[in-house]
Amino acid sequence: MGYYIKVEPDVKIYVEDLNPEGEKTILFLHGWPLSHNAYEYQFNQLPKMGYRCIGIDTRGFGNSDRPWHGYDYDRLSDDVRAVVEALNIKNFTLGGHSMGGAIAIRYMTRHNGCGVAKLALFGAAAPSVTRRPDFPYGLPKEDVTQFIQQTYNDRPKMLQGVGDIFFFQYLTGPFADWFLQLGLQAAGWSTAMCAATFRDESLFADLGRIRVPTLILHGIHDKVCLFPLGIAQKEGIRNSRLVPFKYSGHGLFYDERDKFNMELTQFIEE
């Protein structure tokens, strides 16, 4: 079931709601520059196991509206709060990949984890995607700036380059084409503005304010959000557990999809 939820007077967010009768709910936030469809290999399986799976298209991506404004973590987490309130979901697991993980972390602090029983982070873009004087583990800022410049000059080529480093396992040509199309659904301006957000914003202060059980899944071959980010999340979030994915890159939800689904559902059932 797909529908739109108004989060601002002029902005509607697309939501896919699978198995609304499921006993336990998982709210998925996708990464840059994708859409909720990136979780296809979770949505194929988890509803069959009795879970209600809700996928949000971040503003500017997928089927959501593509306004000129609102691409900082505060506004993006406000969008999530609007969806949570509209659907009246409670006691759910909030899962976020890459930039979606950063939005999930900001939601936990800005909105006091409203409705969230457990948090799951997948190759999350936190506490900082880029290197800083006191955090030498991210990408050079210049690399992310290059993504932004390429977005404005040749976005399809930029997206193809991201796809080339996104996964660790072998991909077929048709899968790579499908993955490229997910990124092309977004607007160029939202793609660039969100890249500027994860280049410039940080979540160091947010980590220590998370109070719910947290699962951290992170590919050791991740070339986008490097594995030390997962270690930093584990050190910063109390009551958290880090599970390294030995055969995954950034796209661990596909690289090791069976292990991903197993780890996530076991965590929910604990």
Side-chain angles (χ1 to χ4, degrees):
M1 175 187 293
Y3 41 80
Y4 287 89
I5 292 173
K6 184 179 290 187
V7 297
E8 286 187 293
D10 59 344
V11 181
K12 300 186 298 299
I13 295 296
Y14 181 78
V15 176
E16 191 78 39
D17 191 352
L18 299 172
N19 191 28
E21 299 79 20
E23 289 188 8
K24 296 184 178 181
T25 299
I26 313 169
L27 179 61
F28 289 91
L29 307 180
H30 66 82
W32 178 92
L34 307 173
S35 73
H36 79 277
N37 286 309
Y39 290 113
E40 176 172 337
Y41 296 89
Q42 284 64 57
F43 295 162
N44 285 346
Q45 302 299 327
L46 301 186
K48 292 192 295 186
M49 300 167 66
Y51 295 98
R52 180 185 185 184
C53 294
I54 302 172
I56 296 176
D57 280 351
T58 300
R59 68 167 61 202
F61 298 82
N63 293 319
S64 287
D65 285 348
R66 307 187 298 178
W68 184 251
H69 64 279
Y71 297 103
D72 60 279
Y73 287 149
D74 284 353
R75 179 63 250 182
L76 296 174
S77 70
D78 292 349
D79 291 349
V80 176
R81 175 66 181 267
V83 171
V84 169
E85 290 182 345
L87 298 182
N88 193 30
I89 54 174
K90 301 174 182 176
N91 198 37
F92 64 93
T93 297
L94 178 60
H97 171 249
S98 192
M99 188 183 74
I103 297 168
I105 290 170
R106 180 56 51 85
Y107 177 87
M108 296 303 297
T109 58
R110 183 170 170 84
H111 297 287
N112 199 30
C114 178
V116 177
K118 294 184 177 182
L119 176 66
L121 303 173
F122 323 129
S128 174
V129 173
T130 55
R131 294 175 188 167
R132 297 170 184 271
D134 56 348
F135 189 75
Y137 306 111
L139 299 174
K141 264 193 175 179
E142 297 76 21
D143 288 6
V144 182
T145 299
Q146 191 172 36
F147 284 142
I148 297 169
Q149 293 170 342
Q150 290 173 346
T151 297
Y152 287 129
N153 291 319
D154 189 341
R155 186 164 64 99
K157 184 178 180 181
M158 182 279 292
L159 291 171
Q160 186 177 55
V162 170
D164 289 343
I165 64 171
F166 209 90
F167 300 96
F168 179 69
Q169 303 279 5
Y170 168 76
L171 300 178
T172 64
F175 183 95
D177 291 341
W178 170 79
F179 191 75
L180 174 64
Q181 292 305 314
L182 294 185
L184 286 173
Q185 276 188 286
W189 58 87
S190 55
T191 302
M193 290 179 185
C194 281
T197 290
F198 63 71
R199 179 193 62 188
D200 298 337
E201 293 200 37
S202 67
L203 298 114
F204 292 95
D206 299 73
L207 298 183
R209 296 171 57 193
I210 295 172
R211 297 289 183 266
V212 300
T214 301
L215 176 68
I216 302 163
L217 308 180
H218 214 109
I220 67 171
H221 303 284
D222 197 326
K223 295 180 179 179
V224 181
C225 295
L226 307 183
F227 186 72
L229 271 64
I231 297 173
Q233 293 160 32
K234 170 67 176 67
E235 293 174 348
I237 302 173
R238 68 185 69 182
N239 195 18
S240 64
R241 182 172 80 247
L242 171 62
V243 180
F245 274 51
K246 297 181 180 179
Y247 306 104
S248 288
H250 195 47
L252 68 169
F253 52 83
Y254 183 75
D255 275 334
E256 294 182 81
R257 50 197 175 277
D258 292 338
K259 176 180 172 65
F260 182 100
N261 293 347
M262 180 191 71
E263 293 285 355
L264 179 58
T265 55
Q266 285 183 351
F267 169 66
I268 293 171
E269 297 302 324
E270 288 175 353

